Amino acid sequence: MRLKDIRLNNVGIVSLLSFMALCPIFYDTAHKQQYGQLRLGQEQFYQLGATVLFAIVFLENIYLSLFLLWSIALYCYFNFPSIGGDYIQNIFWGLVLYQIAYKLINKDNVESVFKMVLVICALNMVWLALQLNHIDLIFLEEGKQIYTHDYVGLMGLKAFMGVFFALCLPIMAYFNPWLAVFFFIPIYLSDCSVAVLGGIASFIFTLWFKSKKLSLILILLLGIAGGLYVKRDVGSQGEMFVDRFSLWKVTMRDAFKHPFTGWGLDSFSHMGDFKPFMYFKNARTNETRAVGIEALRFHRETGQFPPMGTFVSKGDSINPWDNPHNEYVGLFYEFGLIGTLIILFMKRDMWMRFVPKPKIIALAGFFISLAIISLGQFPLHVARTACYIPIFLGIYYKLTDEDNLIQRSIDYGT
């Protein structure tokens, strides 16, 4: 379904005609205009206007269309901050990928996509084996290995190596569930608790439709193993969830200061007039606080930063948070309640569309793993994992649309 399909006096053609009328004469009244500024303002209207037309006319998912339009509305509302431009671009191109996948992939050729993903998994396995034997041909710097203790495959960072395999595990289970078990090796080596939990949940989900008895046994065994793994991780100083709970508590309190609009696109990791603070963690105590601009200004006279009260003691170091490490917190923080509700309604729609067919089960397992991983990582913000998400979403909607079309044909006897 597209926004174009909503018949509001031919909204598609009206939007196109409005764009054609406004783009040549657009005038930004928010700033003092000069010739150069006028040209830049009209260029920006051209770019955003064309993006709006794409959302209304071509994008065949009403929830994604609304989310793209809401993102543009926030960008305008916060007066076109430079930090928001990349967000709009990344969202737009992600949705282009969605639409490409929706148009190209069907139940007859979807396995080619699955197999390509598994080829990348196999290459990562090969590179991981080399790294386990202290051989690496890529991650080198001046003849020395950058990662002397971490096993990262081709992903660069071990956490995202684990996330990648956890997302791909249900795809492997579609072809061979027993080979999918080997994916837990790189997931375990990643030291990423949410990747372990995501892999376990998606694996049990995919097997549930093959053998409920076996799934119940795996729930018990993998549940115990996963629980012990997470307990070890939580108990490790500075590891998963120990310091992040402090971060989430502080950021959610600030998020509720702007519940409907959030703080704006890409606002979490930046500060300025719109948000004069950033979040920092005390490396010794793992406590997180919002630190204002004034406290971060180096005083040349004293050679020090201003004191930060009880947050930092002498000898402590503080580290900035560039991401909340939780996609749900980040969504509410930057897009507000409206953006969050759009995504929640889309998830509900995905659930309502689900039918227990092998290809759809594999895709649903991918998104179950993604949902759990997003509790403690940010797979939507890293290209090495984010590139697959809109593609698999487009495939999921395409296959479920095909099934619904077949079912309607059966119901009507056509």
Side-chain angles (χ1 to χ4, degrees):
M1 183 179 185
R2 297 168 293 183
L3 286 176
K4 180 185 176 183
D5 297 329
I6 301 175
R7 296 296 179 180
L8 298 175
N9 296 323
N10 297 317
V11 65
I13 188 66
V14 169
S15 300
L16 176 61
L17 295 177
S18 299
F19 171 81
M20 295 174 65
L22 293 174
C23 189
I25 60 173
F26 175 74
Y27 183 82
D28 182 5
T29 59
H31 301 89
K32 182 180 179 181
Q33 293 290 350
Q34 297 174 354
Y35 287 114
Q37 291 174 318
L38 177 62
R39 184 175 65 182
L40 290 175
Q42 289 178 334
E43 182 178 339
Q44 189 168 56
F45 184 91
Y46 162 76
Q47 294 169 345
L48 294 178
T51 305
V52 168
L53 285 173
F54 169 78
I56 293 174
V57 179
F58 289 107
L59 188 55
E60 297 181 74
N61 185 308
I62 191 170
Y63 304 102
L64 296 178
S65 295
L66 290 172
F67 189 77
L68 178 56
L69 293 176
W70 177 245
S71 301
I72 293 172
L74 288 177
Y75 185 50
C76 298
Y77 176 78
F78 285 100
N79 199 21
F80 310 101
S82 58
I83 61 172
D86 285 343
Y87 250 44
I88 294 294
Q89 181 172 242
N90 287 332
I91 293 171
F92 170 74
W93 286 113
L95 298 184
V96 169
L97 280 176
Y98 169 92
Q99 191 60 34
I100 290 172
Y102 186 87
K103 287 295 185 183
L104 289 180
I105 309 302
N106 53 49
K107 60 183 177 61
D108 297 322
N109 61 14
V110 66
E111 285 193 1
S112 63
V113 176
F114 289 175
K115 290 175 181 178
M116 174 54 67
V117 170
L118 296 182
V119 168
I120 304 303
C121 290
L123 290 174
N124 272 277
M125 284 285 200
V126 170
W127 229 259
L128 190 60
L130 291 173
Q131 290 165 347
L132 287 169
N133 287 281
H134 308 291
I135 300 171
D136 199 322
L137 305 176
I138 295 180
F139 300 110
L140 302 173
E141 184 177 352
E142 296 180 357
K144 298 180 179 179
Q145 287 185 314
I146 299 173
Y147 304 101
T148 56
H149 301 291
D150 290 346
Y151 307 113
V152 300
L154 293 170
M155 294 292 108
L157 291 172
K158 64 180 181 179
F160 289 109
M161 184 264 294
V163 168
F164 177 78
F165 276 98
L167 291 173
C168 297
L169 190 148
I171 307 302
M172 183 73 256
Y174 166 79
F175 292 103
N176 190 317
W178 304 115
L179 286 179
V181 174
F182 289 98
F183 277 30
F184 283 108
I185 296 173
I187 294 172
Y188 173 82
L189 292 173
S190 72
D191 289 330
C192 181
S193 291
V194 287
V196 171
L197 295 177
I200 289 174
S202 62
F203 187 52
I204 292 173
F205 174 79
T206 55
L207 288 185
W208 179 262
F209 298 95
K210 297 179 183 291
S211 171
K212 291 181 173 58
K213 183 178 180 180
L214 178 60
S215 295
L216 291 173
I217 297 173
L218 285 174
I219 288 173
L220 179 62
L221 295 177
L222 292 177
I224 294 172
L228 292 173
Y229 187 94
V230 173
K231 182 180 179 181
R232 184 205 68 174
D233 203 6
V234 170
S236 301
Q237 184 71 8
E239 290 295 333
M240 185 71 71
F241 296 126
V242 173
D243 46 4
R244 296 180 189 182
F245 279 123
S246 175
L247 170 67
W248 299 336
K249 179 178 67 176
V250 174
T251 54
M252 286 302 291
R253 183 173 63 238
D254 287 336
F256 274 95
K257 295 177 182 178
H258 301 279
F260 296 104
T261 63
W263 287 86
L265 310 183
D266 204 15
S267 58
F268 185 91
S269 59
H270 293 85
M271 63 180 175
D273 294 337
F274 66 98
K275 184 177 76 80
F277 58 87
M278 280 186 64
Y279 300 100
F280 284 82
K281 179 187 77 171
N282 185 311
R284 177 179 61 86
T285 64
N286 281 331
E287 180 187 3
T288 293
R289 286 191 188 180
V291 179
I293 293 177
E294 290 299 326
L296 296 172
R297 288 178 177 166
F298 185 76
H299 287 183
R300 294 183 178 179
E301 297 82 3
T302 62
Q304 297 178 349
F305 290 96
M308 299 185 188
T310 59
F311 177 49
V312 179
S313 299
K314 186 176 181 179
D316 288 350
S317 61
I318 59 173
N319 302 316
W321 288 101
D322 64 348
N323 191 285
H325 290 261
N326 184 309
E327 293 288 9
Y328 306 101
V329 172
L331 176 66
F332 183 65
Y333 190 95
E334 297 186 342
F335 293 87
L337 181 62
I338 295 176
T340 303
L341 286 176
I342 292 172
I343 298 302
L344 288 177
F345 277 117
M346 186 181 72
K347 289 190 173 184
R348 178 184 178 276
D349 183 56
M350 293 174 66
W351 174 258
M352 298 297 292
R353 287 169 165 266
F354 175 76
V355 289
K357 293 186 176 182
K359 294 182 179 70
I360 296 176
I361 290 171
L363 291 166
F366 174 92
F367 288 106
I368 287 172
S369 184
L370 175 66
I372 294 173
I373 290 167
S374 296
L375 289 169
Q377 288 291 348
F378 43 99
L380 286 162
H381 287 76
V382 181
R384 70 200 79 170
T385 51
C387 64
Y388 287 149
I389 296 170
I391 294 173
F392 276 69
L393 185 61
I395 296 171
Y396 183 85
Y397 266 89
K398 181 62 170 292
L399 296 190
T400 53
D401 277 347
E402 288 179 347
D403 280 331
N404 290 334
L405 181 61
I406 293 171
Q407 187 61 48
R408 285 196 299 269
S409 298
I410 294 173
D411 292 340
Y412 287 100
T414 58

